[in-house]
Amino acid sequence: MADARPFHWEFSPEPIAREVLRIEGGHRLEGSVAISGAKNAALKLLAAATLTGERCRFTNVPEIEDVRVLAEVLGDIGVAVDHPAPNVYEVASGDAEWLFVPLEAAAKMRASFILLGPLLTRFGRVIISNPGGDRIGRRPVNLHVDAMRALGAEIEYRNGYYFAKAPGRLRGGQITFPQITVMGTENAMLAAVLADGHTVIEPAALEPEVDDLIVFLQKMGAQVERTAPHRIEIEGRRRLRGADHSVVPDRIEAGTFIVAAGVTHGRITLRGAEFDHLGAFLDVMTEIGVSVSCSPDEIEVDATAADLKPLRCRDIETAPYPGLATDLQPPTCVLLTQAEGTSHVHETVFEDRLEWLGELRRMGASVEIADQHHAVINGATPLHGAEVEIGDLRAGASLILAALAAGGVTTIRGAHHVQRGYEKIDAKFMELGASIERISEGT
Ligand code: EPU
């Protein structure tokens, strides 16, 4: 680690612009909205671009804070990142000056850990901060680290940092995860494409964003394929080339707008969304009574006549794709407050992802949080305006949904959390007829 920059990066997060959303609810949302590129694909694609010295060009990149942060982290380690037009990023990773991803990056965004695989496999070493926990649970990275070790990496953990090196080149191997992990699968793939020999990843995550990454890696010349639903096989290459790619549409943003139509009894057309990527969420919507249909490139959501039914005698259970996405559990809960009867919610992927329901209760929802993984929602309850606080990204979008459905005015603090992952969310809702004001706190 001779050329690692000394730890002069101090953890001093930039002051966050404190903004408050003031939403007057009760407007029926109608019209058409463009769905942006997926955050959880874009971040991995930018990281994949460090696998080559040649230029990579990405279109349909969402204009969100997480992408901006990752671009900044790449810039800090010496990668050239250009942003020549809205939603377009170009990455040229001729050489990295500093193979060091600081605590500051990890503190701002857990997904910075996705740089472990590509930097280690291409440059043979990296020091990367442990992203630790966040507001939706402990979020460990042990499975990422184990996967790198299975490919021959030597990794030590000291003072909050993983010191990783690959003596010679990483070598292909069998990576067996004890459970499905999205970023773990992606990190393993990103490392294995430049390793020496054959790698098998099992069980591999099946999320559409993982397949988007596979498509991009194939364009770069990587030999990587999904050979069974939960198996990915890779034959490592010595070198990869630059490539162009358009980021897959964001299925979580699409789901958020579907719920927006549901809770406001509206009718919304989603442009550029992928119907086939919505998985079990669609079944839940149909069962609750929101009509979702597709035509080429568009999804039509009609809740004008919706008589929302509860899901009785059965959990809504989050699960890896194609199950109900954990990222769509909070919006679904908002919809369930407007459905008649009792609904049970079982969050299986993350702990602490039900905590935000306490804020929803302040708006009149009848919700019992039984434990970290179970909640019961009794509907239908009229929601009313209140002062609430956003604690994380998906809970934030869901409080906005609740405010759109509520009678009166809701004031939402912590709006910056939503900017991490949704492009122009207030502007998009306003185009559909919502009344939203963004106010800097203290003005
Ligand atoms: N896990 C471990 N050890 C690990 C990795 C994961 O124990 O090393 C556990 C997690 O704690 C969790 C489970 O495995 O209980 C599954 O987590 P996974 O690794 O699949 O999650 P992730 O890859 O860290 C991505 C998305 C999340 C999304 C989940 C599940 C990105 C950047 N993040 O996280 O998105 O909820 O997959 O689909 O792709 C969001 O966008 O708001 C978000 C949180």
Side-chain angles (χ1 to χ4, degrees):
M1 303 291 145
D3 67 345
R5 191 184 273 196
F7 293 170
H8 72 266
W9 263 289
E10 282 170 20
F11 176 42
S12 54
E14 286 159 27
I16 295 165
R18 295 274 164 209
E19 287 184 323
V20 171
L21 294 177
R22 190 178 171 280
I23 302 180
E24 184 194 273
H27 300 277
R28 181 190 291 260
L29 298 192
E30 278 180 306
S32 141
V33 65
I35 297 304
S36 300
K39 165 178 87 77
N40 290 345
L43 297 173
K44 324 314 170 42
L45 293 164
L46 291 172
T50 64
L51 288 166
T52 177
E54 294 180 21
R55 180 166 286 261
C56 297
R57 186 168 192 274
F58 301 104
T59 51
N60 202 34
V61 181
E63 294 290 343
I64 54 174
E65 188 60 16
D66 273 11
V67 165
R68 198 192 62 71
V69 169
L70 187 61
E72 203 175 280
V73 172
L74 289 172
D76 281 349
I77 61 174
V79 173
V81 183
D82 292 328
H83 188 15
N87 306 107
V88 180
Y89 275 78
E90 291 179 357
V91 180
S93 182
D95 210 352
E97 288 171 47
W98 307 104
L99 295 163
F100 175 54
V101 181
L103 172 62
E104 192 180 13
K108 281 187 187 156
M109 189 183 56
R110 182 178 183 278
S112 59
F113 206 70
I114 198 64
L115 291 172
L116 171 65
L119 294 181
L120 177 60
T121 199
R122 173 145 175 245
F123 298 104
R125 63 201 186 284
V126 62
I127 303 173
I128 188 163
S129 172
N130 178 6
D134 64 14
R135 289 291 291 261
I136 58 173
R138 286 177 301 112
R139 312 281 309 266
V141 288
N142 57 314
L143 302 180
H144 302 231
V145 172
D146 290 349
M148 298 304 133
R149 287 187 175 133
L151 299 180
E154 290 172 5
I155 303 183
E156 280 176 48
Y157 185 61
R158 292 201 301 273
N159 305 323
Y161 284 88
Y162 289 97
F163 291 71
K165 55 184 175 181
R169 207 172 146 205
L170 287 178
R171 50 169 199 276
Q174 172 75 36
I175 296 174
T176 307
F177 288 118
Q179 67 191 87
I180 288 187
T181 159
V182 175
M183 275 216 296
T185 300
E186 293 165 332
N187 236 336
M189 256 193 333
L190 290 169
V193 286
L194 284 180
D196 183 17
H198 193 75
T199 297
V200 179
I201 304 173
E202 279 176 312
L206 197 49
E207 272 64 8
E209 295 76 23
V210 178
D211 281 320
D212 201 40
L213 183 59
I214 292 177
V215 170
F216 176 65
L217 290 169
Q218 288 168 342
K219 289 181 187 172
M220 294 178 86
Q223 200 176 326
V224 47
E225 229 179 298
R226 189 182 287 285
T227 51
H230 285 293
R231 187 193 312 126
I232 293 173
E233 293 193 52
I234 297 154
E235 194 59 47
R237 286 280 160 94
R238 279 212 163 261
R239 201 160 263 107
L240 298 179
R241 56 177 179 265
D244 293 0
H245 191 72
S246 174
V247 180
V248 70
D250 195 321
R251 64 197 164 99
I252 308 302
E253 188 195 21
T256 305
F257 279 96
I258 290 172
V259 170
V263 290
T264 66
H265 299 283
R267 182 186 294 146
I268 302 180
T269 302
L270 313 183
R271 301 193 307 276
E274 271 289 346
F275 188 79
D276 292 343
H277 289 175
L278 289 168
F281 174 74
L282 275 183
D283 304 332
V284 174
M285 288 302 108
T286 308
E287 211 171 322
I288 299 176
V290 176
S291 151
V292 186
S293 57
C294 80
S295 55
D297 248 14
E298 286 187 349
I299 296 179
E300 306 280 344
V301 194
D302 189 351
T304 46
D307 185 9
L308 303 178
K309 292 171 265 174
L311 293 169
R312 278 182 213 276
C313 308
R314 178 191 129 176
D315 281 353
I316 320 175
E317 198 165 270
T318 62
Y321 190 83
L324 176 65
T326 172
D327 295 343
L328 285 173
Q329 171 267 109
T332 305
C333 284
V334 178
L335 191 58
L336 290 174
T337 68
Q338 302 308 297
E340 279 302 326
T342 300
S343 304
H344 298 264
V345 180
H346 184 188
E347 169 58 56
T348 70
V349 181
F350 292 118
E351 64 225 45
D352 302 348
R353 218 175 196 181
L354 296 172
E355 260 179 19
W356 77 283
L357 289 168
E359 293 301 286
L360 193 55
R361 211 158 28 203
R362 293 155 71 96
M363 299 180 69
S366 166
V367 179
E368 291 154 41
I369 307 172
D371 58 40
Q372 284 185 320
H373 294 281
H374 297 88
V376 180
I377 298 176
N378 293 298
T381 45
L383 299 177
H384 54 73
E387 287 205 7
V388 292
E389 170 113 28
I390 288 176
D392 74 65
L393 173 64
R394 305 301 174 190
S398 305
L399 284 172
I400 294 176
L401 291 171
L404 293 172
V409 172
T410 300
T411 308
I412 305 182
R413 291 185 199 287
H416 59 277
H417 285 290
V418 183
Q419 276 158 238
R420 279 191 41 218
Y422 291 85
E423 178 174 318
K424 299 187 194 124
I425 192 168
D426 26 349
K428 287 187 182 185
F429 277 132
M430 277 156 67
E431 269 175 40
L432 296 170
S435 167
I436 304 181
E437 223 184 320
R438 186 177 279 269
I439 307 161
S440 287
E441 240 181 347
T443 59

PDB file of all heavy atoms in Angstrom, residues 316-333:
ATOM      1  N   ILE A 316     -48.053  -8.994   3.103  1.00  0.00           N
ATOM      2  CA  ILE A 316     -47.317  -8.509   1.938  1.00  0.00           C
ATOM      3  C   ILE A 316     -45.901  -8.722   2.390  1.00  0.00           C
ATOM      4  O   ILE A 316     -45.504  -8.184   3.423  1.00  0.00           O
ATOM      5  CB  ILE A 316     -47.374  -6.997   1.733  1.00  0.00           C
ATOM      6  CG1 ILE A 316     -48.662  -6.380   1.985  1.00  0.00           C
ATOM      7  CG2 ILE A 316     -46.902  -6.621   0.355  1.00  0.00           C
ATOM      8  CD1 ILE A 316     -48.406  -4.875   1.837  1.00  0.00           C
ATOM      9  N   GLU A 317     -45.171  -9.486   1.614  1.00  0.00           N
ATOM     10  CA  GLU A 317     -43.849  -9.854   2.075  1.00  0.00           C
ATOM     11  C   GLU A 317     -42.829  -9.374   1.055  1.00  0.00           C
ATOM     12  O   GLU A 317     -42.951  -9.698  -0.125  1.00  0.00           O
ATOM     13  CB  GLU A 317     -43.807 -11.371   2.204  1.00  0.00           C
ATOM     14  CG  GLU A 317     -42.685 -11.835   3.061  1.00  0.00           C
ATOM     15  CD  GLU A 317     -42.894 -13.287   3.454  1.00  0.00           C
ATOM     16  OE1 GLU A 317     -43.529 -13.540   4.491  1.00  0.00           O
ATOM     17  OE2 GLU A 317     -42.417 -14.148   2.704  1.00  0.00           O
ATOM     18  N   THR A 318     -41.859  -8.604   1.516  1.00  0.00           N
ATOM     19  CA  THR A 318     -40.818  -8.168   0.586  1.00  0.00           C
ATOM     20  C   THR A 318     -39.855  -9.322   0.346  1.00  0.00           C
ATOM     21  O   THR A 318     -39.685 -10.193   1.204  1.00  0.00           O
ATOM     22  CB  THR A 318     -40.045  -6.961   1.142  1.00  0.00           C
ATOM     23  OG1 THR A 318     -39.408  -7.352   2.361  1.00  0.00           O
ATOM     24  CG2 THR A 318     -40.943  -5.771   1.387  1.00  0.00           C
ATOM     25  N   ALA A 319     -39.234  -9.331  -0.810  1.00  0.00           N
ATOM     26  CA  ALA A 319     -38.328 -10.430  -1.168  1.00  0.00           C
ATOM     27  C   ALA A 319     -37.442  -9.973  -2.313  1.00  0.00           C
ATOM     28  O   ALA A 319     -37.770  -9.005  -3.008  1.00  0.00           O
ATOM     29  CB  ALA A 319     -39.148 -11.644  -1.607  1.00  0.00           C
ATOM     30  N   PRO A 320     -36.326 -10.673  -2.538  1.00  0.00           N
ATOM     31  CA  PRO A 320     -35.526 -10.345  -3.720  1.00  0.00           C
ATOM     32  C   PRO A 320     -36.366 -10.490  -4.990  1.00  0.00           C
ATOM     33  O   PRO A 320     -37.374 -11.205  -4.991  1.00  0.00           O
ATOM     34  CB  PRO A 320     -34.401 -11.400  -3.685  1.00  0.00           C
ATOM     35  CG  PRO A 320     -34.323 -11.830  -2.262  1.00  0.00           C
ATOM     36  CD  PRO A 320     -35.719 -11.744  -1.733  1.00  0.00           C
ATOM     37  N   TYR A 321     -35.959  -9.819  -6.059  1.00  0.00           N
ATOM     38  CA  TYR A 321     -36.661  -9.870  -7.338  1.00  0.00           C
ATOM     39  C   TYR A 321     -36.826 -11.315  -7.805  1.00  0.00           C
ATOM     40  O   TYR A 321     -35.901 -12.101  -7.653  1.00  0.00           O
ATOM     41  CB  TYR A 321     -35.852  -9.078  -8.380  1.00  0.00           C
ATOM     42  CG  TYR A 321     -36.587  -8.850  -9.665  1.00  0.00           C
ATOM     43  CD1 TYR A 321     -37.493  -7.804  -9.789  1.00  0.00           C
ATOM     44  CD2 TYR A 321     -36.377  -9.692 -10.755  1.00  0.00           C
ATOM     45  CE1 TYR A 321     -38.178  -7.606 -10.970  1.00  0.00           C
ATOM     46  CE2 TYR A 321     -37.067  -9.486 -11.943  1.00  0.00           C
ATOM     47  CZ  TYR A 321     -37.965  -8.443 -12.043  1.00  0.00           C
ATOM     48  OH  TYR A 321     -38.638  -8.242 -13.220  1.00  0.00           O
ATOM     49  N   PRO A 322     -37.962 -11.698  -8.348  1.00  0.00           N
ATOM     50  CA  PRO A 322     -39.111 -10.874  -8.738  1.00  0.00           C
ATOM     51  C   PRO A 322     -40.153 -10.682  -7.637  1.00  0.00           C
ATOM     52  O   PRO A 322     -41.281 -10.303  -7.919  1.00  0.00           O
ATOM     53  CB  PRO A 322     -39.702 -11.668  -9.907  1.00  0.00           C
ATOM     54  CG  PRO A 322     -39.404 -13.100  -9.540  1.00  0.00           C
ATOM     55  CD  PRO A 322     -38.101 -13.097  -8.816  1.00  0.00           C
ATOM     56  N   GLY A 323     -39.785 -10.917  -6.385  1.00  0.00           N
ATOM     57  CA  GLY A 323     -40.713 -10.662  -5.271  1.00  0.00           C
ATOM     58  C   GLY A 323     -40.971  -9.168  -5.111  1.00  0.00           C
ATOM     59  O   GLY A 323     -40.415  -8.348  -5.840  1.00  0.00           O
ATOM     60  N   LEU A 324     -41.794  -8.831  -4.132  1.00  0.00           N
ATOM     61  CA  LEU A 324     -42.112  -7.416  -3.881  1.00  0.00           C
ATOM     62  C   LEU A 324     -40.849  -6.697  -3.385  1.00  0.00           C
ATOM     63  O   LEU A 324     -40.297  -7.049  -2.334  1.00  0.00           O
ATOM     64  CB  LEU A 324     -43.226  -7.307  -2.834  1.00  0.00           C
ATOM     65  CG  LEU A 324     -43.594  -5.884  -2.397  1.00  0.00           C
ATOM     66  CD1 LEU A 324     -44.183  -5.076  -3.558  1.00  0.00           C
ATOM     67  CD2 LEU A 324     -44.583  -5.910  -1.240  1.00  0.00           C
ATOM     68  N   ALA A 325     -40.390  -5.700  -4.129  1.00  0.00           N
ATOM     69  CA  ALA A 325     -39.135  -5.010  -3.797  1.00  0.00           C
ATOM     70  C   ALA A 325     -39.243  -4.312  -2.450  1.00  0.00           C
ATOM     71  O   ALA A 325     -40.239  -3.626  -2.179  1.00  0.00           O
ATOM     72  CB  ALA A 325     -38.810  -3.985  -4.876  1.00  0.00           C
ATOM     73  N   THR A 326     -38.248  -4.482  -1.615  1.00  0.00           N
ATOM     74  CA  THR A 326     -38.233  -3.782  -0.321  1.00  0.00           C
ATOM     75  C   THR A 326     -38.310  -2.272  -0.519  1.00  0.00           C
ATOM     76  O   THR A 326     -38.889  -1.557   0.300  1.00  0.00           O
ATOM     77  CB  THR A 326     -36.990  -4.175   0.517  1.00  0.00           C
ATOM     78  OG1 THR A 326     -36.943  -3.331   1.667  1.00  0.00           O
ATOM     79  CG2 THR A 326     -35.687  -4.019  -0.247  1.00  0.00           C
ATOM     80  N   ASP A 327     -37.768  -1.781  -1.630  1.00  0.00           N
ATOM     81  CA  ASP A 327     -37.812  -0.329  -1.887  1.00  0.00           C
ATOM     82  C   ASP A 327     -39.232   0.140  -2.212  1.00  0.00           C
ATOM     83  O   ASP A 327     -39.508   1.341  -2.189  1.00  0.00           O
ATOM     84  CB  ASP A 327     -36.882   0.032  -3.057  1.00  0.00           C
ATOM     85  CG  ASP A 327     -35.426  -0.227  -2.732  1.00  0.00           C
ATOM     86  OD1 ASP A 327     -35.088  -0.372  -1.545  1.00  0.00           O
ATOM     87  OD2 ASP A 327     -34.603  -0.297  -3.673  1.00  0.00           O
ATOM     88  N   LEU A 328     -40.124  -0.792  -2.540  1.00  0.00           N
ATOM     89  CA  LEU A 328     -41.516  -0.407  -2.805  1.00  0.00           C
ATOM     90  C   LEU A 328     -42.436  -0.740  -1.632  1.00  0.00           C
ATOM     91  O   LEU A 328     -43.635  -0.498  -1.697  1.00  0.00           O
ATOM     92  CB  LEU A 328     -42.012  -1.084  -4.088  1.00  0.00           C
ATOM     93  CG  LEU A 328     -41.466  -0.455  -5.374  1.00  0.00           C
ATOM     94  CD1 LEU A 328     -41.856  -1.264  -6.602  1.00  0.00           C
ATOM     95  CD2 LEU A 328     -41.950   0.989  -5.527  1.00  0.00           C
ATOM     96  N   GLN A 329     -41.854  -1.269  -0.566  1.00  0.00           N
ATOM     97  CA  GLN A 329     -42.684  -1.555   0.626  1.00  0.00           C
ATOM     98  C   GLN A 329     -43.231  -0.260   1.239  1.00  0.00           C
ATOM     99  O   GLN A 329     -44.445  -0.184   1.516  1.00  0.00           O
ATOM    100  CB  GLN A 329     -41.862  -2.393   1.623  1.00  0.00           C
ATOM    101  CG  GLN A 329     -42.463  -2.599   2.992  1.00  0.00           C
ATOM    102  CD  GLN A 329     -41.966  -1.539   3.957  1.00  0.00           C
ATOM    103  OE1 GLN A 329     -42.734  -0.658   4.355  1.00  0.00           O
ATOM    104  NE2 GLN A 329     -40.713  -1.582   4.330  1.00  0.00           N
ATOM    105  N   PRO A 330     -42.410   0.800   1.424  1.00  0.00           N
ATOM    106  CA  PRO A 330     -42.987   2.007   2.034  1.00  0.00           C
ATOM    107  C   PRO A 330     -44.106   2.639   1.192  1.00  0.00           C
ATOM    108  O   PRO A 330     -45.178   2.936   1.738  1.00  0.00           O
ATOM    109  CB  PRO A 330     -41.778   2.937   2.212  1.00  0.00           C
ATOM    110  CG  PRO A 330     -40.587   2.016   2.247  1.00  0.00           C
ATOM    111  CD  PRO A 330     -40.931   0.901   1.297  1.00  0.00           C
ATOM    112  N   PRO A 331     -43.939   2.804  -0.141  1.00  0.00           N
ATOM    113  CA  PRO A 331     -45.081   3.334  -0.901  1.00  0.00           C
ATOM    114  C   PRO A 331     -46.321   2.442  -0.796  1.00  0.00           C
ATOM    115  O   PRO A 331     -47.446   2.941  -0.658  1.00  0.00           O
ATOM    116  CB  PRO A 331     -44.572   3.360  -2.355  1.00  0.00           C
ATOM    117  CG  PRO A 331     -43.090   3.376  -2.259  1.00  0.00           C
ATOM    118  CD  PRO A 331     -42.736   2.649  -1.002  1.00  0.00           C
ATOM    119  N   THR A 332     -46.112   1.129  -0.815  1.00  0.00           N
ATOM    120  CA  THR A 332     -47.264   0.213  -0.736  1.00  0.00           C
ATOM    121  C   THR A 332     -47.998   0.405   0.592  1.00  0.00           C
ATOM    122  O   THR A 332     -49.236   0.362   0.654  1.00  0.00           O
ATOM    123  CB  THR A 332     -46.802  -1.245  -0.916  1.00  0.00           C
ATOM    124  OG1 THR A 332     -46.072  -1.333  -2.141  1.00  0.00           O
ATOM    125  CG2 THR A 332     -47.968  -2.210  -0.968  1.00  0.00           C
ATOM    126  N   CYS A 333     -47.241   0.641   1.654  1.00  0.00           N
ATOM    127  CA  CYS A 333     -47.882   0.874   2.968  1.00  0.00           C
ATOM    128  C   CYS A 333     -48.792   2.103   2.927  1.00  0.00           C
ATOM    129  O   CYS A 333     -49.854   2.121   3.547  1.00  0.00           O
ATOM    130  CB  CYS A 333     -46.813   1.082   4.051  1.00  0.00           C
ATOM    131  SG  CYS A 333     -46.039  -0.450   4.550  1.00  0.00           S
TER     132      CYS A 333
END
